[in-house]
């Protein structure tokens, strides 16, 4: 019951913010939630790198996200050469966050030598993991809030179907070492549900079922399931059960958003490749 109540309240708050806040304010609100998840991520890594300056991620993640958001600001009047230069600059800046900046923080933070590899892993994975999720939230909301609604539908409906089908008829373990309760049957149910959600959305918003959108839904759903397993792997490696206790029935923010953080950047990339104009009525 707690799980259902928390989910309903969270969905209501999310949809209200999505459709009432201007895109940049929604991006700021998304950063607040992402930072909450970063705090939990730091807690997970604290057991394997207690002496590393992991809290620096709380500054590096929003900085990286803002850099990428600004670099991907739509500029229809820009010449191709200008767009290429902006893309190259954003990639270079983002790379600096992952190498020079993160490496400097680990070094000057006096990280104990035995913890250095874990610290590099925490920064090298954590910065793009959280920053790209925040960017995807902001960019999809700016293109069309209904695209972000589709992304959440794919993730949440797929997750629900996977849970109920897997718990009832699941026989073949998907990743027994990482997450013993997940099954191939549940994963298949989640994928089929995601496809159905995308087909319904496409028919409703576009007046037709777009094959390109269905393919993108498959990629997004697969990314969501991988994201769920990756967070489970992080917790299992660190010896923790939940990332936090902030959401009754769900654990922490990261426990609830792990699939979304993988899925939405894939959805955004697919929207860009298909052409936003083909998905916005």
């Amino acid at each position: 019951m707690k799980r259902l109540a928390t989910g309903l309240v969270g969905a209501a708050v999310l949809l209200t913010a999505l459709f009432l806040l201007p895109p940049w304010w929604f991006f700021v609100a998304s950063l607040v939630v992402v930072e909450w998840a970063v705090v939990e991520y730091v807690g997970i890594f604290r057991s394997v790198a207690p002496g590393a300056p992991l809290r620096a991620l709380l500054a590096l993640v929003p900085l990286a996200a803002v850099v990428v958001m600004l670099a991907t600001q739509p500029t229809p009047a820009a010449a191709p050469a200008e767009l290429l230069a902006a893309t190259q600059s954003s990639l270079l800046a983002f790379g600096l966050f992952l190498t020079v900046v993160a490496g400097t923080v680990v070094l000057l933070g006096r990280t104990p030598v035995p913890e250095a590899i874990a610290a590099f892993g925490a920064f090298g994975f954590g910065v793009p993991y959280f920053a790209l999720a925040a960017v995807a939230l902001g960019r999809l909301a700016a293109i069309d809030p209904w695209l972000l609604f589709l992304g959440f539908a794919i993730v949440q409906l797929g997750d629900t179907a996977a849970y109920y089908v897997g718990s009832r008829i699941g026989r073949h373990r998907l990743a027994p070492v990482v997450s013993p309760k997940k099954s191939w049957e549940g994963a298949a149910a989640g994928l089929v549900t995601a496809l159905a959600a995308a087909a319904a959305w496409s028919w409703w918003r576009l007046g037709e079922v777009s094959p390109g959108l269905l393919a993108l839904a498959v990629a997004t759903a697969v990314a969501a399931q991988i994201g769920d397993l990756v967070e489970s792997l992080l917790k299992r490696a660190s010896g923790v059960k939940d990332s936090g206790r902030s959401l009754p029935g769900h654990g922490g923010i990261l426990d609830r958003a792990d699939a979304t953080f993988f899925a939405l950047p894939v959805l955004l990339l697919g929207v860009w490749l298909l052409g936003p104009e083909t998905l916005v009525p």
Side-chain angles (χ1 to χ4, degrees):
M1 192 63 181
K2 286 183 179 180
R3 183 182 180 91
L4 177 61
T6 302
L8 291 175
V9 172
V13 172
L14 173 65
L15 292 177
T16 300
L18 176 59
F19 287 101
L20 293 184
L21 290 179
W24 267 95
W25 279 110
F26 181 78
F27 170 65
V28 172
S30 299
L31 267 181
V32 172
V33 177
V34 168
E35 283 284 84
W36 191 348
V38 174
V39 172
E40 297 178 349
Y41 176 85
V42 168
I44 291 174
F45 265 90
R46 184 62 67 195
S47 64
V48 295
L54 299 177
R55 289 193 177 276
L57 281 163
L58 292 168
L60 293 184
V61 166
L63 283 173
V66 169
V67 166
V68 177
M69 275 292 287
L70 292 174
T72 56
Q73 185 76 18
T75 51
E82 294 174 321
L83 292 174
L84 177 61
T87 302
Q88 291 172 334
S89 299
S90 64
L91 288 174
L92 176 61
F94 196 64
L96 288 174
F97 276 103
L98 297 180
T99 54
V100 177
V101 176
T104 301
V105 168
V106 172
L107 179 65
L108 297 184
R110 298 181 179 180
T111 303
V113 173
E115 300 173 16
I117 293 178
F120 284 128
F123 281 94
F125 177 74
V127 172
Y129 180 45
F130 293 108
L132 293 182
V135 169
L137 284 161
R139 277 283 153 252
L140 287 168
I143 295 171
D144 183 359
W146 286 108
L147 284 171
L148 190 51
F149 178 88
L150 171 63
F152 287 125
I154 289 173
V155 174
Q156 301 306 325
L157 293 178
D159 179 68
T160 301
Y163 174 77
Y164 283 107
V165 171
S167 62
R168 283 164 173 74
I169 65 171
R171 296 294 182 271
H172 302 85
R173 300 300 97 186
L174 178 62
V177 175
V178 176
S179 186
K181 293 184 179 180
K182 288 183 171 57
S183 67
W184 282 103
E185 291 85 354
L191 185 59
V192 170
T193 302
L195 271 173
W201 185 96
S202 181
W203 183 264
W204 173 51
R205 293 290 295 169
L206 307 177
E208 62 177 3
V209 177
S210 166
L213 184 61
L214 293 183
L216 178 55
V218 171
T220 303
V222 171
Q225 296 194 26
I226 293 174
D228 194 342
L229 290 171
V230 166
E231 198 246 355
S232 295
L233 179 60
L234 286 176
K235 291 188 297 184
R236 188 165 291 275
S238 300
V240 299
K241 184 179 184 296
D242 296 317
S243 66
R245 299 180 179 178
S246 53
L247 300 179
H250 293 274
I253 285 288
L254 189 54
D255 291 321
R256 192 65 191 136
D258 50 7
T260 306
F261 286 174
F262 261 45
L264 292 186
V266 171
L267 179 62
L268 176 61
L269 177 60
V271 168
W272 280 341
L273 293 176
L274 290 175
E277 67 281 356
T278 67
L279 300 175
V280 180

